[in-house]
């Protein structure tokens, strides 16, 4: 369960900005539901995780809640939420309740969630536009449709429900793409804790341990520093397992001479960190391992240099690919010229993913990767980077055993991933609390 935020001013400001956008388009009503509870087996529930968009606009941590925003002559911000109930609170802990929702979360009005079906139809009347998630076939969507139907029936009195329907999610995605100060603070904290966990994994790793033991150390470090959760299932991949991109932490033993790839990050107040480091189980990179490792570090440097305002989201990827492709040729993994390898995309045999993604409340965060203002079509230009965006920079190289590949590189899988905050002039890697330099990693592992 996420905690109520210490300060709800940022959430109030975000609602006000969304209302401004709606008003500029002629006004209307926005409706957004909290995440549903997910059953785990027959008797339990998964730990509750609030819907990211809902969390962004409300900071409200409970299920069974609805946000309604009305942009008109007078703005209204309304929350529907669970009523306080002593009997249930005895088992499940305190509920916030409508009264505290107004007092502590800054809503104009709040009502018990079980009054939604009664009150929402009336709120829809005379609103020109409905802003809601239009493409989700879920229980919340059904409730909104039912309210629209009921409002339609009321329209005999002359009032009407909204005739225009607008998907609210892209509007919120645009906002979420540029992080405000409170978001950057939470992400710095997630980054710092996650980097500490990677450093701990490096210090404790030794041949003979199993992947899940490393995972346990990461979880311990996340939680003891106050992270509420992992941001995604941790990857701890020994040796050849690193060439399986979504390998979870399994049972494999870390063998002497193997690399270990760890891709893990925690979640703080809803915000993710996403870090990958690849280190030698025995504390010392072999010659071929070091060669490919340093290649990913060089590729990351090139991508980071291209991560600044005015460059596009894709420039970093292209910069990383150039370095990796040249390195693959130099190492004898690929034949031909750099231009030829780039043109034929032969490098994708060893580097098959992109160099980054937006990061925020979701690990692969929302936001268009292409220019949203450009006309639709496959050639829509890439998005230009702006101060306040946060993205990962994660070049890698994955070499499976094959007859036409030098044997020295077989089963080496490496990724080097940091989280970059776009600044005025360039970017800041906020996850460098854990080293990437191979000598620094080796020194840390000797401690
Ligand atoms: N950990 C997920 C990713 O790197 O994209
Ligand atoms: Mn990532
Ligand atoms: Mn990752």
């Amino acid at each position: 369960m996420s905690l109520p935020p210490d300060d709800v001013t940022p959430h109030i400001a975000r609602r006000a900005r969304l209302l401004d956008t709606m008003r500029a388009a002629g006004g209307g009503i926005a409706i957004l539901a909290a995440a549903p509870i997910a059953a785990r087996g027959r008797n339990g529930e998964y730990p509750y995780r609030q819907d990211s968009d809902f969390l962004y606009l409300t900071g409200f941590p409970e299920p069974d809640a609805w946000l309604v925003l009305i942009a008109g002559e007078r703005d209204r911000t309304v929350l529907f939420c669970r009523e306080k109930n002593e009997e249930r609170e005895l088992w499940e802990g305190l509920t916030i309740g409508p009264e505290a929702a107004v007092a502590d979360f800054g809503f104009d009005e709040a009502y018990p969630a079980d009054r939604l079906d009664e009150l929402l139809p009336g709120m829809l009347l005379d609103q020109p536009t409905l802003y809601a998630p239009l493409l989700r076939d879920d229980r919340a969507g059904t409730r909104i449709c039912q309210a629209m139907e009921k409002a339609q029936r009321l329209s005999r009195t002359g009032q009407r429900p909204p005739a225009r329907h607008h998907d609210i999610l892209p509007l919120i995605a645009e906002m979420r793409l540029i992080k405000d100060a409170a978001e950057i603070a939470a992400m710095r904290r997630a980054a710092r804790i996650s980097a500490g966990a990677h450093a701990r994994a490096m210090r404790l790793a030794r041949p003979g341990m199993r992947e899940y033991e490393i995972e346990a150390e990461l979880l311990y470090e996340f939680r003891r520093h106050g992270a509420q959760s992992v941001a995604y299932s941790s990857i701890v991949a020994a040796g050849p397992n690193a060439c399986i991109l979504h390998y979870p932490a399994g049972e494999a033993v870390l063998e002497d001479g193997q690399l270990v790839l760890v891709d893990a990050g925690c979640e703080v107040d809803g915000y993710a960190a996403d870090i990958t480091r690849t280190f030698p189980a025995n504390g010392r990179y072999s010659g071929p391992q070091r060669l490919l490792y340093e290649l990913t570090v060089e590729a990351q440097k090139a991508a980071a240099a291209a991560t600044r305002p005015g460059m596009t989201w894709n420039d970093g990827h292209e910069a990383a690919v150039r370095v990796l492709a040249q390195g693959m040729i130099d190492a004898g993994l690929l034949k031909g010229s750099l231009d030829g390898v780039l043109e034929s995309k032969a490098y994708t045999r060893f580097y098959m993913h992109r160099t980054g993604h937006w990061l925020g409340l979701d690990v692969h965060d929302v936001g268009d990767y292409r220019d949203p203002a450009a006309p639709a079509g496959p050639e829509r230009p890439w998005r230009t980077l702006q101060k306040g965006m946060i993205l990962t920079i994660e070049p890698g190289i994955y070499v499976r055993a094959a007859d036409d590949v030098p044997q020295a590189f077989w089963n080496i899988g490496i990724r080097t991933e940091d989280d970059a905050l776009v600044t005025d002039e360039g970017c800041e890697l906020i996850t460098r609390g854990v080293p990437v330099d191979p000598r620094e990693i080796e020194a840390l592992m000797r401690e």
Side-chain angles (χ1 to χ4, degrees):
M1 179 99 143
S2 42
L3 306 167
D6 296 332
D7 178 11
V8 292
T9 355
H11 304 82
I12 295 173
R14 293 170 202 157
R15 293 197 290 271
R17 277 171 50 215
L18 182 57
L19 282 161
D20 285 345
T21 306
M22 290 163 59
R23 201 178 314 98
I29 178 169
I31 307 172
L32 203 63
I37 293 168
R40 184 176 192 278
R42 238 180 258 174
N43 312 105
E45 293 165 1
Y46 282 98
Y48 186 69
R49 166 59 158 76
Q50 187 56 278
D51 174 78
S52 295
D53 292 309
F54 194 86
L55 194 60
Y56 180 75
L57 291 173
T58 66
F60 199 77
E62 294 178 4
D64 293 336
W66 294 75
L67 171 68
V68 178
L69 300 176
I70 298 177
E73 273 169 37
R74 187 177 68 86
D75 286 347
R76 288 171 71 191
T77 64
V78 185
L79 190 81
F80 288 85
C81 62
R82 283 180 171 176
E83 258 187 300
K84 293 195 71 64
N85 174 323
E86 266 183 43
E87 167 68 14
R88 200 189 49 219
E89 288 178 35
L90 174 65
W91 295 92
E92 296 180 12
L94 289 180
T95 300
I96 293 165
E99 221 170 279
V102 171
D104 299 341
F105 287 78
F107 296 101
D108 298 324
E109 306 158 46
Y111 303 99
D114 57 15
R115 294 193 63 196
L116 181 85
D117 296 333
E118 166 205 343
L119 295 179
L120 188 55
M123 298 170 110
L124 287 163
L125 291 177
D126 283 343
Q127 294 300 329
T129 304
L130 167 68
Y131 292 88
L134 297 182
L135 303 174
R136 278 196 196 152
D137 180 16
D138 60 4
R139 175 94 190 92
T142 307
R143 294 278 290 280
I144 296 172
C145 285
Q146 286 168 346
M148 286 288 278
E149 269 181 10
K150 204 163 160 191
Q152 195 74 48
R153 286 198 295 277
L154 294 174
S155 72
R156 282 186 213 115
T157 58
Q159 292 177 299
R160 288 216 188 102
R164 277 198 311 258
H165 305 165
H166 193 109
D167 192 358
I168 194 174
L169 298 183
L171 294 183
I172 306 174
E174 276 300 299
M175 295 173 65
R176 282 175 53 187
L177 192 50
I178 313 283
K179 272 65 182 174
D180 61 34
E183 297 187 282
I184 292 172
M187 291 189 71
R188 281 189 188 281
R189 219 179 129 216
R192 192 170 64 242
I193 296 171
S194 302
H198 277 261
R200 179 185 180 86
M202 287 175 186
R203 271 196 299 269
L204 295 176
R206 55 188 150 56
M209 280 177 88
R210 290 186 188 267
E211 292 165 339
Y212 59 71
E213 292 179 76
I214 300 282
E215 182 189 23
E217 299 296 341
L218 297 164
L219 296 177
Y220 171 73
E221 194 73 6
F222 290 164
R223 199 65 185 113
R224 87 191 183 100
H225 288 288
Q228 291 92 12
S229 171
V230 289
Y232 53 93
S233 303
S234 308
I235 294 173
V236 180
N241 293 336
C243 295
I244 303 166
L245 293 180
H246 289 164
Y247 180 85
E251 314 228 325
V253 172
L254 279 52
E255 306 283 354
D256 200 346
Q258 280 182 339
L259 291 176
V260 192
L261 182 153
V262 177
D263 183 348
C266 67
E267 185 176 292
V268 170
D269 299 341
Y271 287 86
D274 184 6
I275 305 180
T276 308
R277 291 290 185 269
T278 310
F279 55 85
N282 64 13
R284 198 160 162 76
Y285 292 91
S286 73
Q289 288 168 352
R290 190 181 303 266
L291 188 105
L292 297 191
Y293 181 82
E294 284 182 342
L295 187 55
T296 67
V297 175
E298 283 312 307
Q300 200 202 35
K301 262 189 212 153
T307 301
R308 57 188 147 91
M311 302 293 277
T312 74
W313 174 75
N314 193 51
D315 290 329
H317 176 64
E318 286 192 355
V321 161
R322 281 189 85 80
V323 173
L324 290 171
Q326 184 62 56
M328 289 171 196
I329 295 167
D330 296 344
L333 290 167
L334 292 178
K335 293 189 177 48
S337 67
L338 177 60
D339 285 345
V341 161
L342 293 175
E343 172 75 25
S344 67
K345 295 198 187 308
Y347 62 84
T348 57
R349 178 173 177 195
F350 305 111
Y351 181 50
M352 58 297 280
H353 59 77
R354 293 202 63 97
T355 306
H357 49 83
W358 308 132
L359 183 72
L361 285 164
D362 291 294
V363 179
H364 291 187
D365 208 29
V366 292
D368 203 331
Y369 286 97
R370 295 193 181 257
D371 179 359
E379 297 305 311
R380 204 150 55 98
W382 294 108
R383 178 141 208 158
T384 303
L385 296 177
Q386 273 172 261
K387 182 181 170 179
M389 291 176 169
I390 298 188
L391 62 157
T392 66
I393 308 182
E394 49 179 304
I397 184 160
Y398 313 90
V399 188
R400 273 155 297 192
D403 288 342
D404 58 342
V405 166
Q407 200 167 350
F409 300 120
W410 285 8
N411 294 322
I412 296 181
I414 299 170
R415 181 164 59 257
T416 301
E417 174 173 31
D418 282 283
D419 304 343
L421 165 65
V422 181
T423 58
D424 278 321
E425 303 275 314
C427 72
E428 178 190 343
L429 301 178
I430 60 174
T431 38
R432 281 299 177 83
V434 57
V436 289
D437 182 272
R439 286 161 299 270
E440 284 178 43
I441 289 177
E442 287 172 343
L444 185 63
M445 293 185 75
R446 277 195 298 272
E447 272 176 21

